[in-house]
Amino acid sequence: MCVDASGELDHTLGIDVVWIALFLAVLLGWWDGPVTCALTLGKFIIFTYAATPISLKIIDLYVVYAITTAVIQVVYMGIVGSFPFNSFLSGVLSCVGTAVLAVCLRIQVNKENKEFKDLPPERAFADFVLCNLVLHLVIMNFLG
Amino acid sequence: MAASSETKGEGTLRKAFGGVLGFFILLLIGAFAFSIRLFSVIKYESVIHEFDPYFNYRVTQFLTKNGIYDFWNWFDDRTWYPLGRVIGGTVYPGLTLTAGSIWWLLNNLNIPLSVETVCVFTAPIFSANASWATYLLTKEVKGTGAGLTAAALLAMVPSYISRSVAGSYDNEAVAIFALIFTFYLYIKTLNTGSLFYATLNALSYFYMVCSWGGYTFIINLIPMHVLLCIVTGRYSPRLYIAYAPLVVLGTLLASLVPVVGFNAVMTSEHFASFLVFIIIHVVALVYYIKGILSPKMFKVAVTLVVTIGIAVCCAVLAILIALVASSPTKGWSGRSLSLLDPTYASKYIPIIASVSEHQPPTWPSYFMDINVLAFLVPAGIVACFLPLSDASSFMVLYITTSVYFSGVMVRLMLVLAPAACIMSGIALSEAFDVFTRSIKLQLPKLFESPSGSGDIDSTQDEVVKVDNKSATDKSETAPKERPSKKNRKKEREIVETTIKKPLNAKRLLVLPLEASSVAILLLIIFGAFYVVHCVWAAAEAYSAPSIVLTSHSHDGLHVFDDFREAYAWLRHNTDVDDKVASWWDYGYQTTAMANRTVIVDNNTWNNTHIATVGTAMSSPEKPAWEIFNSLDVKYVLVVFGGLVGYPSDDINKFLWMVRIGGGVFPHIREPDYLRDGQYRIDAHATPTMLNCLMYKLSYYRFVETDGKGFDRVRRTEIGKKHFKLTHFEEVFTTHHWMVRIYKLKSPKNRIRGKSKKSKSNSKTGPSNSKRHSNLRKNPW
């Protein structure tokens, strides 16, 4: 079931640190074999991901940022209570919404997608901006 | 090259001609949809029909007079006395805002139409828009020809006419247009993958949420379709773009509408969309990982994720189930539950069960409402599978769910109508395609070989895929299409009848010449029957305003305008603050036309209040007087059809009053009013029935009309003929006795020094008896 990662590996410091730390953990016997597979798999995914173009990585970073903001808001709601529920809803949904729209942009801009090769990336970005405008107009109205 | 450019020029000319022809056909379809709905305006007058539209009309009047901020914050104290009603928060504002903006726009252009005219004609205008939206939707599914056919069918389908005739100023008038337009934008986004159309889709969905409670159909059908696409392996990035922004933007926009508010995230009706939202993200992630990994690594990833994922899913599911199960209705509203379980309403909510529109339809009503389309729909479903695309799978899902829901409630035949029209349009256009192609291919053989048409062997069941963009066949030596075909209304456009060159792998389906020509003729006759039926249904069956009744007798046309007579009397002869009690059917009309405060109206949101009125109507005079007095009622209004034979009067509805009243006040028992299980008002009726307020108010002085008191609706003589009213006095009865208005008698004054007869007799001696004998008998 377990296979070795093959091909040229792009060494970066951060990945090495993570890898060494987890390897130490495995060495200390806390987890066993299948977890090593997961780690190798994770490393492979990270390395393959490093090959994506930088514009897509920026979009992915934006998506991660939006989702973390949403999670922070949910945690805050859990602590403080949901009294102005419309504000909570609009806050969370604006983060989720803009993340979804960024994913749609990424789909349309990604050169590997055969279905969208006729779509100029400027048009995709313009659609993204328009949709975000509508989203934030609704959010401002609903925020209270 | 010159020849090909020449034929190319010919092709573009034919395309242009086809485009212009299509445009004029659409214009004609819109004009037709508008004019077929004008029968009631011609036969009666430009008046608002029925009950619910009067409420919408009153709200629109308020909006146009006071502006939008007062409308949003309006608390209505003229209804549901003494509770009042928050109009801003309980009404679907789409219809009133649409009509209000049309009125405002026209007035600013110096076209001074009155609000009533705008309200009456809103529905026909939007039905024309709905036909155009159907054209757009079907064009996305199958092609231009199918689009034109479907639009023509929708313009006259009787089920849609019944709810959108001129004067029927109700939510469905604009909601059906919003429904079809939202579906069109969804399919367009699915086909093109453009985020711009996804934005428009969300905005159109917002318009639908504003307009009608039936928007839950959209927000459940689209997730169902997404799930179907995922399960059948048709996931694509376009599906993600079509669905995910709609959920987020749609939920936010739905929460903006005050009626929906937080229900958009808390009720079970929306949970399907959230669930599928999560599922589509999981699927998208899986496809993305699959794209960047090699197959071996992908297998590893799958086994790893599945083990972890199942554990997490179980935990989340357990939490969700606990949350949902804690509410008694599992989070669904009563209306939705009554749709999912058809027997729910009759067991738990008698008010929903009592409305005639909420009954299941009978088989003949299908034929009456969608006529010929009932036969074409199965053919359309088959045509959708050849070939199956995302859009046609959506159409199949739409028709199956709407057929189910139309079987639960007659009112939802309206949602079935657009689906049936689209399916039938597809079927008809495919049929015409095959037949005309057969004729076109075999015509030159007919001219070349005088020995009769050579039969081209019909091939297997392969059907040529209809191509939207293809040019016409260049190598065809057949003569041009017969000009008569171009002028037929249901004829497909020329650009649609494509014949692929023999080099193509797909083979053509070609039928014998005689069979195809006969078949075309029969289809045209089929269509003609449909048109005749639709026009008849629009003219005779669905154009009655129900506030004005007519009847034909030997001496001409009788017009019964009793309702408006009664409301006008109320308006002119009572004080502004007087309260009028009647059964809830007439509440909207009373507030709109008579401008008086009512106790209960058609909104039926408070069952106990309605039960109070029902109990009062079912009790004898004194308890009824006391109930009405406690509600500050001054006048009681009763509808009575016994003199003229009007069957929808209050005596026929009386058992519902008993049931609803008895549901809250247990001393009202339905068997008390029935003799051997039968509901009668003649001499064999039970004494409870003969003494109840409804009986007395309906039949007071009725015996004076013909001496015998023969009730034309129940077809018997009434039981109690000569009686007096002790606590009510009659103030007005309309010309045909259809509406009768009574006033509550004020309680007798207590005069100081003289005590009540029943108590004083025992205490005072015979010295007072003389005084008492001189007094009038105390009625209390």
Side-chain angles (χ1 to χ4, degrees):
Chain A
M1 180 178 115
C2 207
V3 289
D4 280 334
S6 59
E8 278 297 318
L9 298 177
D10 217 345
H11 286 276
T12 55
L13 183 61
I15 293 173
D16 278 336
V17 166
V18 167
W19 173 241
I20 287 169
L22 291 171
F23 182 74
L24 277 173
V26 171
L27 202 60
L28 289 171
W30 287 346
W31 298 318
D32 56 333
V35 183
T36 324
C37 280
L39 295 173
T40 325
L41 179 69
K43 191 174 178 187
F44 187 79
I45 289 182
I46 294 171
F47 287 153
T48 325
Y49 181 73
T52 56
I54 193 149
S55 55
L56 297 184
K57 278 201 217 162
I58 293 177
I59 298 178
D60 290 339
L61 190 64
Y62 178 68
V63 171
V64 169
Y65 158 70
I67 298 291
T68 34
T69 316
V71 170
I72 291 174
Q73 287 186 19
V74 172
V75 169
Y76 179 69
M77 189 269 295
I79 297 174
V80 169
S82 70
F83 162 57
F85 191 58
N86 55 326
S87 313
F88 164 67
L89 254 190
S90 63
V92 170
L93 283 179
S94 80
C95 294
V96 173
T98 188
V100 163
L101 292 176
V103 172
C104 291
L105 175 67
R106 189 189 196 278
I107 289 174
Q108 290 183 328
V109 161
N110 198 354
K111 304 237 181 353
E112 290 165 23
N113 264 331
K114 306 289 180 304
E115 292 180 10
F116 291 102
K117 60 176 163 55
D118 298 330
L119 189 70
E122 290 82 13
R123 168 71 198 261
F125 187 69
D127 285 342
F128 170 72
V129 167
L130 174 72
C131 210
N132 262 316
L133 264 175
V134 171
L135 176 73
H136 285 95
L137 187 68
V138 175
I139 296 290
M140 296 311 293
N141 197 359
F142 197 49
L143 204 54
Chain B
M1 287 299 120
S4 73
S5 71
E6 199 178 273
T7 45
K8 213 181 286 184
E10 200 180 275
T12 45
L13 183 67
R14 284 178 100 169
K15 238 198 222 176
F17 181 71
V20 171
L21 186 67
F23 176 72
F24 277 113
I25 291 178
L26 271 180
L27 216 58
L28 274 178
I29 289 176
F32 180 63
F34 183 83
S35 26
I36 200 177
R37 287 161 168 81
L38 296 183
F39 276 104
S40 68
V41 174
I42 297 171
K43 285 166 75 172
Y44 300 90
E45 60 182 286
S46 164
V47 72
I48 303 216
H49 297 189
E50 302 248 329
F51 303 112
D52 279 1
Y54 272 99
F55 171 69
N56 295 325
Y57 172 54
R58 182 166 161 253
V59 175
T60 317
Q61 272 181 317
F62 186 87
L63 170 69
T64 52
K65 215 185 303 184
N66 301 47
I68 188 158
Y69 285 106
D70 283 342
F71 166 70
W72 275 136
N73 298 320
W74 185 18
F75 179 81
D76 188 19
D77 56 351
R78 309 280 295 171
T79 175
W80 292 94
Y81 185 84
L83 303 165
R85 177 184 172 183
V86 181
I87 298 277
T90 56
V91 81
Y92 280 99
L95 176 71
T96 42
L97 288 177
T98 309
S101 15
I102 294 178
W103 175 86
W104 178 84
L105 186 69
L106 288 175
N107 264 285
N108 279 359
L109 292 175
N110 276 331
I111 305 173
L113 287 182
S114 73
V115 178
E116 181 175 20
T117 315
V118 172
C119 290
V120 165
F121 288 102
T122 300
I125 292 176
F126 273 86
S127 63
N129 293 345
S131 327
W132 294 330
T134 313
Y135 163 73
L136 290 170
L137 174 56
T138 322
K139 188 166 83 123
E140 285 300 312
V141 178
K142 265 297 178 184
T144 330
L148 288 172
T149 321
L153 292 176
L154 186 83
M156 35 183 171
V157 65
S159 150
Y160 184 34
I161 288 182
S162 70
R163 303 292 302 200
S164 69
V165 80
S168 174
Y169 181 56
D170 207 354
N171 287 340
E172 287 93 351
V174 297
I176 296 296
F177 161 67
L179 181 87
I180 303 177
F181 198 59
T182 310
F183 284 152
Y184 157 64
L185 286 172
Y186 171 66
I187 298 291
K188 183 93 182 173
T189 318
L190 198 54
N191 282 346
T192 58
S194 151
L195 200 56
F196 172 65
Y197 281 108
T199 319
L200 288 181
N201 188 19
L203 290 174
S204 169
Y205 171 68
F206 173 54
Y207 184 54
M208 178 73 190
V209 175
C210 283
S211 309
W212 197 28
Y215 75 90
T216 49
F217 182 63
I218 298 188
I219 201 62
N220 283 304
L221 184 64
I222 292 187
M224 245 198 275
H225 175 244
V226 169
L227 207 57
L228 181 73
C229 281
I230 291 176
V231 161
T232 55
R234 290 181 148 274
Y235 171 79
S236 67
R238 291 173 286 118
L239 191 68
Y240 182 85
I241 296 180
Y243 183 64
L246 173 69
V247 169
V248 179
L249 258 173
T251 310
L252 266 173
L253 287 167
S255 323
L256 273 184
V257 181
V259 184
V260 177
F262 296 144
N263 286 345
V265 290
M266 309 239 273
T267 52
S268 296
E269 279 124 3
H270 291 85
F271 283 169
S273 59
F274 300 141
L275 191 67
V276 178
F277 185 67
I278 296 175
I279 290 179
I280 200 176
H281 274 92
V282 169
V283 171
L285 196 66
V286 165
Y287 272 84
Y288 173 67
I289 302 281
K290 196 173 184 179
I292 63 173
L293 287 183
S294 66
K296 269 196 220 162
M297 296 297 292
F298 182 63
K299 274 211 200 83
V300 170
V302 161
T303 39
L304 211 62
V305 165
V306 162
T307 39
I308 302 177
I310 285 183
V312 171
C313 264
C314 288
V316 168
L317 214 63
I319 297 175
L320 197 68
I321 289 179
L323 218 76
V324 163
S326 59
S327 84
T329 59
K330 315 279 180 286
W332 293 91
S333 74
R335 268 176 133 195
S336 313
L337 270 176
S338 65
L339 276 181
L340 292 176
D341 172 19
T343 56
Y344 179 80
S346 49
K347 278 187 275 178
Y348 296 108
I349 317 176
I351 285 193
I352 293 185
S354 74
V355 181
S356 66
E357 303 180 308
H358 293 178
Q359 307 305 320
T362 54
W363 283 111
S365 70
Y366 275 95
F367 189 71
M368 170 72 169
D369 274 349
I370 55 174
N371 209 39
V372 147
L373 308 184
F375 307 123
L376 288 174
V377 160
I381 295 180
V382 172
C384 274
F385 278 97
L386 314 162
L388 188 68
S389 66
D390 291 337
S392 50
S393 68
F394 176 76
M395 280 318 304
V396 171
L397 198 63
Y398 178 24
I399 187 99
T400 25
T401 44
S402 53
V403 165
Y404 170 71
F405 285 122
S406 73
V408 176
M409 254 194 211
V410 153
R411 193 175 176 194
L412 294 179
M413 292 274 303
L414 185 61
V415 176
L416 172 65
C421 289
I422 295 172
M423 283 304 186
S424 320
I426 292 175
L428 265 181
S429 122
E430 292 287 314
F432 269 112
D433 191 19
V434 170
F435 294 140
T436 50
R437 190 192 321 132
S438 315
I439 294 182
K440 189 173 172 186
L441 269 184
Q442 295 179 50
L443 223 40
K445 288 206 165 22
L446 189 61
F447 287 149
E448 283 169 19
S449 57
S451 59
S453 59
D455 284 353
I456 299 180
D457 289 352
S458 60
T459 59
Q460 260 66 30
D461 304 332
E462 307 230 32
V463 177
V464 165
K465 180 176 173 195
V466 176
D467 198 339
N468 291 357
K469 307 187 290 280
S470 65
T472 57
D473 185 23
K474 302 174 189 71
S475 65
E476 182 59 52
T477 54
K480 291 232 163 69
E481 309 264 14
R482 292 204 213 105
S484 60
K485 286 211 196 112
K486 283 179 192 171
N487 296 335
R488 287 206 204 111
K489 193 171 182 186
K490 290 200 175 62
E491 176 65 5
R492 306 191 51 231
E493 287 190 359
I494 300 164
V495 287
E496 274 318 304
T497 50
T498 67
I499 315 264
K500 294 231 167 76
K501 293 207 174 129
L503 296 168
N504 246 352
K506 286 214 168 76
R507 290 174 293 176
L508 309 173
L509 179 65
V510 170
L511 301 172
L513 179 69
E514 305 88 359
S516 345
S517 26
V518 167
I520 285 191
L521 199 64
L522 285 179
L523 275 183
I524 292 173
I525 295 177
F526 208 42
F529 276 133
Y530 174 68
V531 175
V532 165
H533 170 85
C534 293
V535 175
W536 169 84
E540 297 300 323
Y542 290 135
S543 287
S546 83
I547 191 155
V548 176
L549 307 161
T550 58
S551 81
H552 296 267
S553 62
H554 56 273
D555 50 344
L557 184 74
H558 280 279
V559 174
F560 299 92
D561 209 1
D562 288 42
F563 288 102
R564 293 196 289 179
E565 185 185 345
Y567 298 132
W569 184 91
L570 269 179
R571 195 186 190 113
H572 291 125
N573 293 296
T574 60
D575 291 332
V576 175
D577 285 330
D578 284 343
K579 327 279 184 280
V580 179
S582 66
W583 192 233
W584 59 259
D585 289 4
Y586 315 107
Y588 281 157
Q589 284 182 344
T590 313
T591 30
M593 282 196 270
N595 199 25
R596 294 287 173 266
T597 312
V598 290
I599 306 294
V600 286
D601 70 13
N602 307 52
N603 192 28
T604 65
W605 65 269
N606 191 332
N607 195 29
T608 312
H609 219 51
I610 298 182
T612 313
V613 174
T615 309
M617 296 293 193
S618 325
S619 317
E621 267 193 79
K622 183 157 197 290
W625 185 93
E626 274 161 14
I627 294 178
F628 280 141
N629 198 33
S630 74
L631 287 170
D632 289 347
V633 170
K634 196 94 171 290
Y635 294 94
V636 178
L637 186 147
V638 156
V639 170
F640 171 61
L643 184 65
V644 292
Y646 173 62
S648 311
D649 64 352
D650 280 355
I651 289 285
N652 269 358
K653 292 179 197 165
F654 179 61
L655 273 185
W656 282 110
M657 299 186 202
V658 170
R659 282 178 198 137
I660 294 175
V664 179
F665 298 97
H667 65 269
I668 306 282
R669 286 176 297 268
E670 193 181 340
D672 288 346
Y673 297 85
L674 306 172
R675 170 77 68 190
D676 302 328
Q678 247 196 343
Y679 177 56
R680 330 169 62 124
I681 44 95
D682 53 7
H684 296 287
T686 58
T688 332
M689 182 71 213
L690 293 176
N691 278 324
C692 74
L693 187 71
M694 179 53 69
Y695 179 91
K696 287 194 165 171
L697 294 188
S698 296
Y699 293 118
Y700 179 62
R701 291 194 310 114
F702 184 52
V703 68
E704 294 172 15
T705 56
D706 61 350
K708 288 189 275 113
F710 183 76
D711 184 340
R712 290 222 178 113
V713 179
R714 268 61 61 174
R715 299 193 175 281
T716 59
E717 292 186 9
I718 59 177
K720 194 148 84 163
K721 298 187 187 181
H722 304 272
F723 57 89
K724 288 207 186 328
L725 291 175
T726 51
H727 291 64
F728 295 84
E729 59 177 325
E730 182 186 6
V731 285
F732 186 65
T733 298
T734 57
H735 186 223
H736 299 102
W737 286 54
M738 276 173 63
V739 182
R740 311 193 66 182
I741 304 180
Y742 294 83
K743 188 172 171 175
L744 262 68
K745 277 192 190 164
S746 39
K748 208 145 163 57
N749 285 330
R750 288 191 199 168
I751 305 170
R752 203 161 52 131
K754 297 194 176 139
S755 36
K756 278 193 182 164
K757 186 180 174 187
S758 52
K759 283 199 186 133
S760 60
N761 264 342
S762 53
K763 286 185 188 164
T764 62
S767 57
N768 282 334
S769 57
K770 280 187 204 158
R771 254 185 268 165
H772 279 298
S773 56
N774 291 336
L775 293 170
R776 269 184 301 155
K777 196 170 166 202
N778 187 342
W780 307 107

